[in-house]
Amino acid sequence: MVKITTQLISVWMLTTLSLFGNATTDILQKPGTGVSVTPVFSTLPEEHFRGEIAIAGLQELGYAVLPAKQTGYATMLLALAYGDADFSIHMWNVLHDGFYQKAGGVKSILKTGNVIPGLKQGYLIDKKTAETHGIQSLNDLADPAIAALFDTDKDGKADLTGCNPDWGCKDIIDEHLKTYGLNSTVSHNRGDYFALMKATIKRYKSGKPVLYYTWLPQWISSVLVPGKDVIWLTVEPPETLEGVVLPASLPTEEAADDNPLTETQTAAQRGFADDQIKAVMNQNFAADNPAARTFLSLLQIPAADESAQNLKMMRGEKSPEDIKRHATRWIKKNRKVFDGWLEKARESVPVTAAPEAPADNAAPVNTAADSEENTEKAPETDVNTDDQASSAAAMPVAVHTASAAVAIQ
C-alpha cells in the first residue's frame, strides 16, 4: 500500500512539474498573454498590408489584438497620445512630424524603428510632353503656355493631381505653389487621391499630358513607370528667388541614359525629403510591453514588397480578406527573419520582475536601416517631472499593465 501511494505521489509530482514547465514555456513564448491591444490604421487600404503583418506578429506573442481603428494621420497621433489606441505603423517620420509634435511629441508618443525605408515623393509629368516642350522643373509651369498643356477643365490653369485634404503632403504642395508664384497658373486638385489618379491614368492612356504628385511605394509607379512613361520634375531651390543662381535640374552630362530625371535626382531636387515609416506607440503602452515594443521596432518591409502588394489591390485583390492573405503569404516567405524579430521580442521581457528598478523604456533600434537620431526613447516610467505631467497639454492617458491592458474604445 505504501509502495503504491509513493508511486502515485511520484506521478502527481511529475505531472505537476510538467504542467508548471509548460506554463512557464507558454509565458516565455507568449509574453503578451492577457494584454489587449488596439491598433490604429490610416484610412488608406493600401497601407493596411503592413498593419496586418504587425498584428500577426503581436498575436504570435500572445497579445489579444482588437479590431483596428481607422482615421486620418493627425487624429491617429492624437488617439495614441490620449491612449485611445496603442500603436500604429503609419507615421511618415518627416512628413507627419507636425502632427506628431502637436500631439505631444516624445512626451506622449514613442516613435521607433524603420518599418519602410527609402520613401520617395514628388511631382511627375508624362515623358512625351516633357521632351516635346523641354519641361524639367515644376517652376516651368510659371509660363502660362506650359501650364495650359495640363489644363483638364478649360480654365487656362494646369491641373495638378495632388493630396487628400488631411494629408501632410497637401500643405507642402500648397507651400510650393505659393513660394514659386504658381497659384495663378496651377490648380492643386484635392480629394480622393486614388480616384483622381485613376482619371489621370485614363487621361495618359488617351495620349494627353498629365501632371501629378505621387510617392513610393505604391502601385501608381507600377502603371506609370518613372523613366519610361513619366519623369520626376525638379523643384527650383528657394534661394534662386533671392538672386542666388542655382541649377533647377541636373546638367545633361550627368544624366542617366537619355533621361536626366530618372533616378539621379536628390530629395532636395524633387522638393520633398526622403522619408521612412515609423512605428509609433502610446508611451505607457510602450513602457509596459517590452515585447510589443521590441517587435514593432524591428519590423521592416521592403518598399518594393508593399508596391507589389498594392498592385495586386489595384488589380482587384483589395478586400480586407485579400489584404490579410497577402500579409500571411509575406510572413511565410520571410519566416526566418520574422521569427528572428519574435525571438528578440521574447528576449526583451525580464524573466523575473524587479519592482525597485524602472523598466528600460528605450526601444531597440533597427540599426541596419535606422539612424540613432531618428529613434526616440520613451521616458522612464518612474519619473514624474513637471514636463511629463504637462505633456500633450495635460491630455489624459490610459494606463496599461503587463497583465491587462484594456484599450479605450
Side-chain angles (χ1 to χ4, degrees), residues 92-221:
W92 287 53
N93 189 46
V94 177
L95 191 62
H96 296 157
D97 186 65
F99 299 153
Y100 173 74
Q101 298 301 336
K102 288 179 181 179
V106 69
K107 296 177 182 178
S108 304
I109 303 167
L110 171 69
K111 64 175 178 177
T112 185
N114 190 354
V115 179
I116 300 182
L119 302 180
K120 292 176 59 176
Q121 52 186 325
Y123 306 103
L124 297 100
I125 64 171
D126 62 288
K127 189 176 180 181
K128 177 182 176 182
T129 302
E131 293 177 343
T132 300
H133 297 276
I135 303 170
Q136 295 185 333
S137 169
L138 178 73
N139 306 80
D140 292 336
L141 297 173
D143 182 344
I146 295 296
L149 297 171
F150 304 96
D151 181 13
T152 63
D153 58 8
K154 308 303 180 184
D155 66 351
K157 298 171 68 175
D159 287 284
L160 166 66
T161 300
C163 294
N164 288 22
D166 61 345
W167 292 1
C169 50
K170 186 269 295 183
D171 294 335
I172 295 178
I173 293 174
D174 287 345
E175 185 62 28
H176 283 163
L177 298 184
K178 177 182 177 181
T179 298
Y180 300 114
L182 298 175
N183 282 316
S184 62
T185 57
V186 180
S187 295
H188 179 191
N189 294 343
R190 299 180 288 266
D192 184 335
Y193 175 80
F194 287 104
L196 292 173
M197 278 308 304
K198 287 180 180 178
T200 300
I201 291 170
K202 184 177 181 180
R203 179 178 171 85
Y204 171 82
K205 290 183 176 179
S206 69
K208 298 177 181 178
V210 294
L211 167 67
Y212 63 97
Y213 160 89
T214 200
W215 70 94
L216 300 175
Q218 48 102 347
W219 63 266
I220 298 296
S221 293

Side-chain angles (χ1 to χ4, degrees), residues 55-374:
I55 286 174
L58 292 178
Q59 288 174 332
E60 290 199 32
L61 291 170
Y63 290 95
V65 183
L66 302 176
K69 298 181 177 183
Q70 296 185 32
T71 187
Y73 299 105
T75 306
M76 172 186 78
L77 290 165
L78 284 172
L80 291 170
Y82 274 94
D84 291 340
D86 298 311
F87 84 93
S88 182
I89 53 173
H90 299 294
M91 178 187 164
W92 287 53
N93 189 46
V94 177
L95 191 62
H96 296 157
D97 186 65
F99 299 153
Y100 173 74
Q101 298 301 336
K102 288 179 181 179
V106 69
K107 296 177 182 178
S108 304
I109 303 167
L110 171 69
K111 64 175 178 177
T112 185
N114 190 354
V115 179
I116 300 182
L119 302 180
K120 292 176 59 176
Q121 52 186 325
Y123 306 103
L124 297 100
I125 64 171
D126 62 288
K127 189 176 180 181
K128 177 182 176 182
T129 302
E131 293 177 343
T132 300
H133 297 276
I135 303 170
Q136 295 185 333
S137 169
L138 178 73
N139 306 80
D140 292 336
L141 297 173
D143 182 344
I146 295 296
L149 297 171
F150 304 96
D151 181 13
T152 63
D153 58 8
K154 308 303 180 184
D155 66 351
K157 298 171 68 175
D159 287 284
L160 166 66
T161 300
C163 294
N164 288 22
D166 61 345
W167 292 1
C169 50
K170 186 269 295 183
D171 294 335
I172 295 178
I173 293 174
D174 287 345
E175 185 62 28
H176 283 163
L177 298 184
K178 177 182 177 181
T179 298
Y180 300 114
L182 298 175
N183 282 316
S184 62
T185 57
V186 180
S187 295
H188 179 191
N189 294 343
R190 299 180 288 266
D192 184 335
Y193 175 80
F194 287 104
L196 292 173
M197 278 308 304
K198 287 180 180 178
T200 300
I201 291 170
K202 184 177 181 180
R203 179 178 171 85
Y204 171 82
K205 290 183 176 179
S206 69
K208 298 177 181 178
V210 294
L211 167 67
Y212 63 97
Y213 160 89
T214 200
W215 70 94
L216 300 175
Q218 48 102 347
W219 63 266
I220 298 296
S221 293
S222 296
V223 177
L224 298 179
V225 181
K228 176 184 176 184
D229 305 313
V230 294
I231 67 165
W232 296 96
L233 292 180
T234 58
V235 176
E236 189 171 351
E239 290 85 351
T240 59
L241 302 179
E242 301 172 4
V244 179
V245 180
L246 293 174
S249 58
L250 295 174
T252 303
E253 59 268 22
E254 294 183 16
D257 301 325
D258 61 343
N259 181 11
L261 302 176
T262 51
E263 297 298 328
T264 57
Q265 294 165 296
T266 65
Q269 289 170 314
R270 290 194 307 275
F272 293 82
D274 283 339
D275 218 327
Q276 59 184 226
I277 300 294
K278 308 293 286 188
V280 279
M281 289 162 267
N282 171 272
Q283 281 282 17
N284 286 352
F285 173 79
D288 293 339
N289 292 276
R293 185 179 72 241
T294 300
F295 173 77
L296 293 172
S297 75
L298 295 172
L299 173 64
Q300 186 172 110
I301 303 166
D305 288 4
E306 183 155 297
S307 288
Q309 187 275 337
N310 281 186
L311 186 58
K312 292 180 180 178
M313 292 180 66
M314 188 274 291
R315 291 172 175 169
E317 297 181 30
K318 57 185 179 180
S319 71
E321 293 73 24
D322 289 331
I323 297 171
K324 287 182 180 179
R325 186 179 70 256
H326 298 158
T328 299
R329 289 179 177 174
W330 187 91
I331 292 170
K332 183 178 180 180
K333 181 179 179 181
N334 297 275
R335 191 74 234 189
K336 185 175 180 180
V337 173
F338 194 78
D339 284 344
W341 299 335
L342 294 174
E343 189 58 31
K344 289 184 181 297
R346 295 178 182 117
E347 292 172 353
S348 71
V349 180
V351 176
T352 57
E356 69 279 4
D360 180 5
N361 196 22
V365 181
N366 188 344
T367 55
D370 200 7
S371 59
E372 182 178 353
E373 60 270 21
N374 281 335

